[in-house]
Amino acid sequence: MFPAKPTSRSILFTATIFVLLIFTIYVTANEDPTVETDNEGVDSDLQELIAIDEQGGGGGEEQQQGDQQKEAEVLSKAQRIVLELNSDNARRVIDQNEFVLILGYAPWCARSAELMPQFAEAANKLKDLGSPVLMAKLDAERYPKVASTLGIKGFPTLLLFVNGTSQVYTGGFSGEDIVIWARKKTGLPVIRISSSVEAEDFQKKYHLFVLGLFDKFEGHDYEEFIKAATTDNEIQFVEVSSSSVAKILFPNINATDHFIGIVKSEPEKYIAYGELLIFNQLEGIFEKDTILQFLEYNKFPLVTILTELNSARVYSSPFKLQVIVFADSDDFKNLIQPLQEIARKFISKDIADENQAKPFLTLLGIEDSENTVVSAFDNRMSSKYLLESNPTPSNIEEFCSRLLHGTLSPYFKSQPIPDNKEKILQVIVGKTLDDLVLSSPKNVLLEVYTPWCINCETTTKQIEKLAKHFMGVDNLVFARIDASANEHPKLQVDDYPTLLFYPAGDKANPVKLSTKSTSKDLATVIKSLLRAKKDVPKDEL
């Protein structure tokens, strides 16, 4: 059907630890990925879904025969359900239908290719459920004026039109997510189940849902439950009035009335409202906001696969402390069970896949690391942490505990310590800034630069010239530091290049020099700062 999603070199697993702590594992596969880059192939695959004709869509060559047949059936059915928009019918379709969910795509867009089969699956499910939502798609590259008129600015874009007025899609991106969101936005936020047969059938279709048990579907508590169901964009809500039916969906339920619980597909499958930690004082209190807060803290499974399509949901979660483990796939097999046990101790949650490790590793300055890495990020203070001892289960657990209690020291990235012997311009790294600059008995002129800075090269040449000019001054050191690869809590610079003069007697108050000055002007300023005219050479620059 569609090209298989490229197997990433790495898989990122995120476990969210309760009380604002997220625990993440990144697994690096041993084999190199095979990446499909043939745009023409992508186009033809997309056309299988896009074309509205009477032929069934064929399966991808790499799929097994059983999967091919199943996918072909989904595509064939979707082709009859999903309407293709163009410049002639787009406005008419929107104006003549109460609900229209539109997918704006581009044939060359990889993310569009990822979303297409999910959209097709959602279209089939919504049709089977008798939903009034009309599913449509628009090739925004072929019809750019129509796309612009509808508000499609990127790919893929999902928009719901209600009586001609558009709403931005805010749900998840699996077929199930699209179905749940569309039903909630078109007046069906809750599914009512009345029998054991219906409950058993519901369980087969949904792996994550919220159960509400009410003897009567009325009153304050029930109304707050409905408000929460309407506000939430991601989870299917279900309501029952029979405790025996409720037990099919939530076996360990003790209440016979006024009960809310979340059900997930994992060992820690059933969580009752008011059961955990900060929510135990909420038991018996049914308010929309507290119900939604309960779901935010409990909707992620112990181990969740994080992809580009669901990453926004994870990153926007209330868990601000994130512990991330980057490991080789073989090491991960040995780590997964103890890591799950650690996560359970903190009452945990969530996981990930894809190519999402590199940004994290780059922040730590260890993007080329081949060893298991345990790190953490505190999004409240933009702080990061690194476990620098062996990543044993006991060390990881201690690392998590100290992070949770605020006793970990932040980690600042640094390049390896260089050999500065006989160098007229000293190279400073994060690990040497204290010794060679802040604690040095000498005056230090430090250039802070980045490799991508356009003007830094000119400034560096100036500093090299000044270093040679002041070579005879024993109490003056010229140095430079790459700010993109090195960090220090006392070096906070946003503009590059930056020149900082650290006086020997007052390192806490460096003087910022102009990078627009000529070499002669800089030499004059340096002389005045040194306050030792007898040690300063004549100005011959």
Side-chain angles (χ1 to χ4, degrees), residues 176-202:
E176 181 179 317
D177 291 336
I178 296 171
V179 169
I180 292 171
W181 188 89
R183 297 192 80 197
K184 283 175 177 277
K185 297 304 177 184
T186 54
L188 293 170
V190 180
I191 294 175
R192 181 173 296 180
I193 294 179
S194 304
S195 69
S196 299
V197 174
E198 290 177 353
E200 291 169 356
D201 185 57
F202 177 86

Side-chain angles (χ1 to χ4, degrees), residues 443 466-476 478 501 519-541:
N443 301 284
L466 288 166
K468 292 177 182 178
H469 179 69
F470 286 94
M471 192 181 299
V473 181
D474 293 334
N475 69 337
L476 177 61
F478 286 82
F501 183 88
S519 298
K520 186 173 183 179
D521 290 339
L522 284 172
T524 301
V525 173
I526 292 170
K527 285 193 296 181
S528 66
L529 291 171
L530 287 174
R531 296 178 183 174
K533 294 182 181 179
K534 62 180 180 180
D535 292 332
V536 179
K538 293 181 179 180
D539 191 353
E540 297 178 352
L541 290 175

Side-chain angles (χ1 to χ4, degrees), residues 384-494:
K384 53 187 178 292
Y385 308 86
L386 185 68
L387 176 64
E388 300 191 61
S389 58
N390 292 331
T392 62
S394 60
N395 285 342
I396 296 174
E397 182 175 350
E398 181 185 2
F399 179 79
C400 294
S401 179
R402 292 182 60 197
L403 174 66
L404 196 60
H405 292 93
T407 58
L408 271 184
S409 297
Y411 171 80
F412 298 94
K413 63 183 178 182
S414 173
Q415 292 175 305
I417 298 176
D419 182 3
N420 280 319
K421 290 181 180 179
E422 300 180 0
K423 284 190 176 181
I424 192 170
L425 188 58
Q426 300 284 294
V427 176
I428 307 298
V429 296
K431 295 177 180 178
T432 61
L433 187 71
D434 279 323
D435 292 339
L436 300 184
V437 178
L438 301 180
S439 299
S440 171
K442 298 183 178 182
N443 301 284
V444 180
L445 178 63
L446 180 68
E447 175 199 0
V448 185
Y449 75 98
T450 63
W452 42 261
C453 166
I454 297 175
N455 298 320
C456 287
E457 185 176 351
T458 300
T459 300
T460 297
K461 290 179 179 179
Q462 276 188 308
I463 299 305
E464 288 174 345
K465 187 174 182 180
L466 288 166
K468 292 177 182 178
H469 179 69
F470 286 94
M471 192 181 299
V473 181
D474 293 334
N475 69 337
L476 177 61
V477 174
F478 286 82
R480 65 197 306 252
I481 184 170
D482 179 354
S484 69
N486 299 278
E487 298 172 329
H488 192 281
K490 294 183 179 179
L491 183 65
Q492 304 297 324
V493 174
D494 296 322

Side-chain angles (χ1 to χ4, degrees), residues 109-369:
C109 172
R111 290 191 177 184
S112 293
E114 279 187 8
L115 188 55
M116 277 287 188
Q118 304 302 325
F119 192 72
E121 179 185 334
N124 290 333
K125 287 184 177 179
L126 287 168
K127 180 69 174 179
D128 292 342
L129 290 168
S131 171
V133 179
L134 174 66
M135 304 289 279
K137 54 189 179 293
L138 174 73
D139 183 341
E141 183 179 51
R142 185 176 179 183
Y143 302 105
K145 290 184 179 179
V146 179
S148 178
T149 301
L150 298 182
I152 297 171
K153 300 177 181 179
F155 313 116
T157 293
L158 282 170
L159 293 173
L160 175 66
F161 285 82
V162 180
N163 294 320
T165 303
S166 68
Q167 296 182 16
V168 177
Y169 181 80
T170 55
F173 293 95
S174 69
E176 181 179 317
D177 291 336
I178 296 171
V179 169
I180 292 171
W181 188 89
R183 297 192 80 197
K184 283 175 177 277
K185 297 304 177 184
T186 54
L188 293 170
V190 180
I191 294 175
R192 181 173 296 180
I193 294 179
S194 304
S195 69
S196 299
V197 174
E198 290 177 353
E200 291 169 356
D201 185 57
F202 177 86
Q203 278 185 318
K204 297 174 183 177
K205 297 178 180 178
Y206 294 90
H207 66 278
L208 172 67
F209 60 90
V210 176
L211 170 68
L213 169 62
F214 302 92
D215 61 344
K216 295 181 180 179
F217 299 126
E218 60 184 30
H220 173 270
D221 291 357
Y222 176 70
E223 290 174 0
E224 293 300 305
F225 175 75
I226 295 298
K227 289 178 184 177
T230 305
T231 304
D232 175 79
N233 291 319
E234 302 171 359
I235 308 174
Q236 182 61 62
F237 282 55
V238 58
E239 61 186 26
V240 301
S241 59
S242 166
S243 58
S244 61
V245 173
K247 279 186 176 293
I248 295 174
L249 301 173
F250 204 106
N252 56 350
I253 187 172
N254 294 319
T256 58
D257 185 24
H258 288 229
F259 169 87
I260 295 176
I262 185 169
V263 180
K264 301 178 288 185
S265 56
E266 61 165 355
E268 290 75 12
K269 189 170 183 176
Y270 306 102
I271 303 175
Y273 177 66
E275 181 178 296
L276 291 176
L277 297 177
I278 63 173
F279 296 102
N280 55 15
Q281 71 268 29
L282 301 179
E283 189 170 8
I285 301 175
F286 287 71
E287 299 291 344
K288 182 197 74 172
D289 291 340
T290 53
I291 294 172
L292 292 173
Q293 187 183 18
F294 166 74
L295 298 181
E296 278 295 310
Y297 277 89
N298 292 284
K299 65 185 178 183
F300 294 106
L302 185 62
V303 177
T304 301
I305 294 184
L306 176 68
T307 67
E308 286 187 62
L309 294 180
N310 71 6
S311 59
R313 184 174 68 179
V314 175
Y315 298 148
S316 63
S317 75
F319 299 97
K320 301 307 179 184
L321 294 179
Q322 303 177 11
V323 178
I324 304 178
V325 179
F326 304 87
D328 179 90
S329 57
D330 291 334
D331 292 337
F332 172 71
K333 292 176 183 177
N334 299 324
L335 281 172
I336 182 60
Q337 186 171 351
L339 286 172
Q340 287 177 334
E341 292 301 322
I342 294 169
R344 287 188 183 96
K345 291 180 181 180
F346 288 90
I347 308 219
S348 54
K349 309 234 172 182
D350 143 60
I351 306 195
D353 128 53
E354 297 273 336
N355 206 2
Q356 306 199 29
K358 189 170 182 179
F360 293 105
L361 293 175
T362 299
L363 283 173
L364 295 165
I366 50 176
E367 53 267 38
D368 296 324
S369 175

Side-chain angles (χ1 to χ4, degrees), residues 3-16:
K5 189 175 181 180
T7 303
S8 173
R9 192 173 305 173
S10 309
I11 301 176
L12 174 64
F13 292 93
T14 309
T16 308

Side-chain angles (χ1 to χ4, degrees), residues 21-136:
L21 180 60
I22 292 185
F23 187 65
T24 306
I25 306 165
Y26 185 96
V27 184
T28 304
N30 287 329
E31 298 182 0
D32 290 334
T34 301
V35 180
E36 183 75 43
T37 58
D38 187 353
N39 286 338
E40 186 175 327
V42 173
D43 290 351
S44 68
D45 285 333
L46 286 175
Q47 290 304 319
E48 293 182 3
L49 177 59
I50 295 166
I52 300 178
D53 52 36
E54 296 180 356
Q55 298 180 0
E61 293 181 357
E62 298 180 359
Q63 301 293 327
Q64 295 181 355
Q65 187 62 36
D67 291 338
Q68 286 181 330
Q69 187 174 0
K70 182 179 179 181
E71 291 170 351
E73 291 173 356
V74 171
L75 282 175
S76 180
K77 189 174 181 181
Q79 289 166 355
R80 297 190 295 270
I81 297 172
V82 180
L83 179 65
E84 178 74 30
L85 300 180
N86 54 47
S87 55
D88 295 327
N89 68 1
R91 192 71 257 174
R92 183 175 69 253
V93 168
I94 292 172
D95 291 341
Q96 293 180 356
N97 292 275
E98 183 178 7
F99 304 112
V100 184
L101 183 58
I102 297 176
L103 168 61
Y105 68 90
W108 47 262
C109 172
R111 290 191 177 184
S112 293
E114 279 187 8
L115 188 55
M116 277 287 188
Q118 304 302 325
F119 192 72
E121 179 185 334
N124 290 333
K125 287 184 177 179
L126 287 168
K127 180 69 174 179
D128 292 342
L129 290 168
S131 171
V133 179
L134 174 66
M135 304 289 279

